[in-house]
Amino acid sequence: MEYATLGNSGVEVSEVGFGAWVVGTDWWGDRTHDDAIDMVQHALDQDVTFFDTGDVYGHGDSEEIIGEALAEHRDEVTVSTKIGYDFYNNPQAGHGELPKKITPEWVHTAFDRSLDRLGMDHVELLMLHNANVDEVDEDVLEALDELREEGKVDAIGWALGPSIGWLAEGDAAVANEFDALQTVFNLFEQTPGQHFIDTIREQNADTSVLARVPHSSGLLNEQVTPETELGKGDHRSHRPTEWYETGWEKVEEIRFLERDGARTMGQAAIQWLLYNDEVASVTPTFRTNADIDEWGGAPDTPPLSDEEYGRVQELYRDNFGIDRDDGMDALRSSVGGADLEDTGMKSAGD
């Protein structure tokens, strides 16, 4: 395992992190409490030291699991959590998004509740969860600074979503010198992640990128194949059928990344992200200990050569030679898409 620092915060993260959404919900399969604890501790055994949770994951369950699993290893790990949803007063409707709440008062209240569930007096990273750009005003920024001054957090981040767009929010995170910016980013879905990397370079900013959904909902780790039947509760089923059908064709075009067994496709997808120095950590959706063994070992595989990376980018620019609708709408954003229209950005396949 290799490690990186978030911006200039001094907070160290493992290049492969543990996205704890999976242990707080049943959206990627059922598992017992003991199974969830075992997964977290197995990740730590594989030198994964960055654990990324959120208060809304299982309405606090994920934080409690992370806190319990890491209680005896607190000094060995970097813990991140997120706030921004009011699940206390609103029921969860399937996989739908809950009402958001991001005010200075809520920042303090929600975060203190997170610390209680985690059983910790501080976390290394606190991220605003899917905040709209107009919600993060000077008062909210001041509240985040107060938490840092109180020693409750070491670094501040902005987690983008719920779709893969939200360009205005990412640009605001860089402009406001957030330490971390989390976004969907993978070989098949490079917008707007690549834009953020370019912006960080252009502005000589210290913001680090945290890449989530690195395997494009099961395509790049080949866990969703033409024979796979996704259950109604499986979160990956939100993708349209056309997305997977075109995706399987794209996978065949990048078989050269497997390097004759030196690395799997799932490992290559992570190495593609780590090719960019701005990407500090990648958080795959681990569903089993075998996933942890494979993807946690990605940094130990051969990094992508300049030639391999360039070949991927050339294929991406040509949509991997596929002239067919992939069923994905243009990237959504919190400001009606105006930010994307201004840049001419489109989702892959459009």
Side-chain angles (χ1 to χ4, degrees):
M1 182 64 68
E2 300 292 331
Y3 302 85
T5 302
L6 296 179
N8 59 7
S9 68
V11 172
E12 185 181 80
V13 293
S14 52
E15 286 190 337
V16 176
F18 188 103
W21 191 358
V22 71
V23 297
T25 72
D26 59 1
W27 293 7
W28 288 275
D30 292 325
R31 58 186 51 79
T32 66
H33 180 83
D34 288 344
D35 288 340
I37 296 292
D38 177 70
M39 279 187 65
V40 175
Q41 294 180 339
H42 185 78
L44 185 59
D45 290 341
Q46 304 307 310
D47 297 325
V48 173
T49 58
F50 175 44
F51 295 86
D52 174 35
T53 185
D55 65 355
V56 76
Y57 299 158
H59 292 196
D61 288 350
S62 178
E63 289 178 323
E64 292 180 355
I65 289 168
I66 290 296
E68 179 182 345
L70 299 179
E72 298 181 4
H73 306 277
R74 185 65 185 93
D75 294 339
E76 306 168 35
V77 297
T78 296
V79 175
S80 167
T81 195
K82 310 179 190 74
I83 57 173
Y85 284 104
D86 181 9
F87 59 88
Y88 300 95
N89 301 301
N90 298 279
Q92 182 79 46
H95 292 194
E97 188 178 15
L98 288 164
K100 286 184 293 184
K101 189 171 183 179
I102 299 174
T103 65
E105 296 77 13
W106 190 252
V107 166
H108 286 280
T109 299
F111 182 53
D112 283 342
R113 292 176 180 178
S114 287
L115 290 179
D116 287 342
R117 285 188 292 269
L118 287 162
M120 301 174 183
D121 59 8
H122 80 287
V123 296
E124 284 72 26
L125 173 63
L126 173 65
M127 291 194 278
L128 297 179
H129 203 172
N130 298 343
N132 290 64
V133 69
D134 58 0
E135 294 173 318
V136 186
D137 56 22
E138 290 298 324
D139 292 335
V140 170
L141 293 174
E142 183 178 350
L144 294 172
D145 284 339
E146 289 170 356
L147 293 178
R148 206 162 6 196
E149 291 168 2
E150 294 167 5
K152 291 182 176 181
V153 302
D154 299 316
I156 297 297
W158 197 328
L160 307 186
S163 63
I164 64 173
W166 292 44
L167 184 70
E169 284 70 21
D171 285 347
V174 176
N176 284 286
E177 301 179 339
F178 276 62
D179 301 297
L181 167 60
Q182 187 176 61
T183 184
V184 171
F185 191 20
N186 59 65
L187 193 155
F188 289 163
E189 296 167 285
Q190 299 188 25
T191 303
Q194 189 59 55
H195 165 82
F196 296 141
I197 288 177
D198 293 341
T199 300
I200 289 168
R201 291 173 181 172
E202 291 166 2
Q203 298 184 15
N204 195 28
D206 290 318
T207 303
S208 294
V209 173
L210 302 176
R212 66 184 183 91
V213 198
H215 294 125
S216 199
S217 296
L219 286 172
L220 288 164
N221 54 24
E222 299 189 90
Q223 289 191 347
V224 179
T225 69
E227 289 74 38
T228 304
E229 293 185 12
L230 295 173
K232 291 183 179 179
D234 193 313
H235 190 64
R236 295 170 298 180
S237 64
H238 76 285
R239 299 273 188 175
T241 301
E242 296 88 346
W243 170 257
Y244 287 110
E245 290 175 344
T246 57
W248 295 322
E249 295 180 43
K250 293 175 184 179
V251 168
E252 295 306 315
E253 295 299 315
I254 57 171
R255 287 290 178 195
F256 62 89
L257 292 178
E258 291 175 303
R259 290 277 291 269
D260 296 326
R263 61 187 173 215
T264 66
M265 186 64 73
Q267 291 170 331
I270 292 173
Q271 283 286 24
W272 177 86
L273 286 160
L274 294 175
Y275 182 91
N276 300 284
D277 291 339
E278 291 78 8
V279 176
S281 186
V282 179
T283 52
T285 301
F286 296 127
R287 302 179 73 215
T288 65
N289 285 351
D291 290 342
I292 295 170
D293 292 341
E294 179 184 345
W295 307 331
D300 295 328
T301 65
L304 262 65
S305 66
D306 293 343
E307 180 181 359
E308 287 174 321
Y309 187 83
R311 186 175 171 186
V312 169
Q313 297 311 93
E314 184 177 349
L315 285 166
Y316 177 79
R317 286 190 291 271
D318 189 41
N319 196 33
F320 301 85
I322 298 174
D323 184 19
R324 192 170 75 256
D325 185 10
D326 63 8
M328 294 287 280
D329 294 329
L331 290 171
R332 300 191 301 276
S333 79
S334 66
V335 292
D339 52 350
L340 295 168
E341 291 173 5
D342 289 344
T343 65
M345 290 186 183
K346 298 288 185 180
S347 59
D350 283 350

